[in-house]
Amino acid sequence: MLRSYLRLAIRTLRRRLGYTAVNMIGLTVGLACCALVAVFFQYELTWDSHHDHADRTYRVVNEYPSDSYSSIRFEGFRTNEDDPTEQRSCRAASCRRFRP
């Protein structure tokens, strides 16, 4: 019975070659897009996981765009003495040119 189903499917696919090609191309593109999205999500979710205590690492970013540049500012930066639960802290700044 399975053999007859396979024969019928192959015969139909050969008879409608254009329809089969469009379906196979669509299926291939859909699976490729799904795989790319899965790889992107995996990369984003494991971005800082190589650090020790990665579950306790946080990144706080404030971005203030301007016409000529975009900068990241850390206003009101706290020290370890301000918050006893904070173990370590780091301050970083970056500027880049804005190109429309």
Side-chain angles (χ1 to χ4, degrees):
M1 184 142 181
L2 183 60
R3 184 183 238 176
S4 66
Y5 284 148
L6 287 175
R7 263 194 239 154
L8 181 64
I10 291 171
R11 197 177 313 142
T12 306
L13 291 176
R14 283 184 184 165
R15 193 176 311 145
R16 299 180 181 186
L17 193 59
Y19 181 75
T20 302
V22 169
N23 278 337
M24 294 302 280
I25 290 171
L27 181 64
T28 303
V29 169
L31 288 174
C33 288
C34 183
L36 286 175
V37 168
V39 167
F40 175 75
F41 280 144
Q42 181 183 11
Y43 173 75
E44 287 294 321
L45 292 175
T46 61
W47 184 67
D48 257 351
S49 63
H50 62 278
H51 293 292
D52 295 336
H53 309 294
D55 57 333
R56 298 187 299 172
T57 303
Y58 297 95
R59 180 179 181 198
V60 179
V61 176
N62 292 327
E63 189 168 343
Y64 298 95
S66 175
D67 291 338
S68 61
Y69 66 92
S70 176
S71 67
I72 299 174
R73 300 179 190 166
F74 294 89
E75 296 180 13
F77 184 74
R78 302 178 318 179
T79 61
N80 292 349
E81 292 82 25
D82 295 338
D83 188 4
T85 60
E86 184 179 328
Q87 294 179 355
R88 292 182 188 166
S89 60
C90 176
R91 183 176 184 175
S94 172
C95 293
R96 62 177 181 244
R97 298 283 302 165
F98 176 75
R99 296 181 183 161

